[in-house]
Amino acid sequence: TKLDWVAVNHHNTGHPHVHIAVRGVTALGNLRIPRDVIKHSIRNHAEDLCTEQLGFRTVGDAIESGRREINALNVTSLDRELVRRMSPTSEEWGSIQTLETTGSELQRVKASHLQARLGVLAKLDLAQPNGGGNWRLRTDFQQKLRALQTANDRQRSRTAVPKSIGEAKDIAANRLR
């Protein structure tokens, strides 16, 4: 089956990524690729190819990635870790116990990143220190962060409104890089 495809690099989050659109036509009509094949098989194969070319992620890479997520105004892997550690105390709030700062260097740094992330969430009124290193965290903080990201994305796209055809081409060219 002949496939037509297009890919776009995105650097609008803390994790650069690629969106790919694929279209194929068979003798029976449009090619249908099951969602699980795309979600798992193709993705796993792409991850393996990237690891083969780039190598495994180093401890330094993991530390730097976490550091960049601390001040992000979108949902991050630090937030997903906070959700895993959170114990709901009411419909609106959950609690996070003091984060362990023992173990390997990576574990200590990750605990430090999580603590710093909670500080950022507190500035957004999504978390509150609860004494003794414990925190209260809004149970809906991820939804609030997604809404904030959407608003920021809309604002960015509004400020990028071209004033001429030449400027439109420049904006499009920059987005495809």
Side-chain angles (χ1 to χ4, degrees):
T1 301
K2 183 176 183 275
L3 297 176
D4 293 321
W5 62 275
V6 63
V8 178
N9 291 325
H10 274 230
H11 299 275
N12 60 340
T13 67
H15 305 283
H17 57 282
V18 176
H19 291 268
I20 301 172
V22 178
R23 180 177 183 268
V25 179
T26 68
L28 301 174
N30 287 336
L31 176 67
R32 300 280 183 216
I33 302 172
R35 185 177 297 268
D36 279 350
V37 170
I38 293 169
K39 198 172 184 182
H40 300 293
S41 302
I42 293 175
R43 183 182 196 144
N44 291 341
H45 185 62
E47 287 175 357
D48 292 343
L49 289 172
C50 289
T51 300
E52 186 179 305
Q53 288 182 12
L54 302 173
F56 288 100
R57 195 165 123 163
T58 66
V59 171
D61 292 337
I63 289 171
E64 177 59 23
S65 174
R67 188 194 61 73
R68 284 192 312 265
E69 290 183 353
I70 291 170
N71 292 305
L73 297 177
N74 57 288
V75 177
T76 69
S77 66
L78 294 174
D79 299 321
R80 289 185 285 278
E81 180 65 25
L82 290 171
V83 167
R84 282 191 289 276
R85 294 174 181 230
M86 182 171 52
S87 302
T89 56
S90 71
E91 191 173 311
E92 190 175 343
W93 294 94
S95 72
I96 301 281
Q97 300 301 315
T98 303
L99 303 170
E100 293 293 324
T101 56
T102 59
S104 71
E105 177 191 3
L106 183 58
Q107 289 170 324
R108 288 192 309 273
V109 170
K110 187 171 187 175
S112 169
H113 289 168
L114 288 169
Q115 197 75 22
R117 181 63 172 169
L118 284 165
V120 169
L121 294 174
K123 290 177 186 172
L124 298 170
D125 295 326
L126 300 174
Q128 297 173 345
N130 203 16
N134 296 319
W135 289 81
R136 287 174 21 118
L137 185 62
R138 287 185 60 101
T139 55
D140 63 349
F141 82 99
Q142 288 183 301
Q143 290 84 358
K144 303 268 186 197
L145 285 172
R146 283 188 193 97
L148 182 59
Q149 180 181 5
T150 300
N152 286 339
D153 289 347
R154 283 189 186 130
Q155 183 61 34
R156 262 197 309 268
S157 67
R158 280 189 203 131
T159 59
V161 174
K163 295 175 181 69
S164 67
I165 293 174
E167 191 176 338
K169 288 179 182 177
D170 291 343
I171 291 169
N174 286 333
R175 288 187 179 161
L176 292 176
R177 286 185 196 165

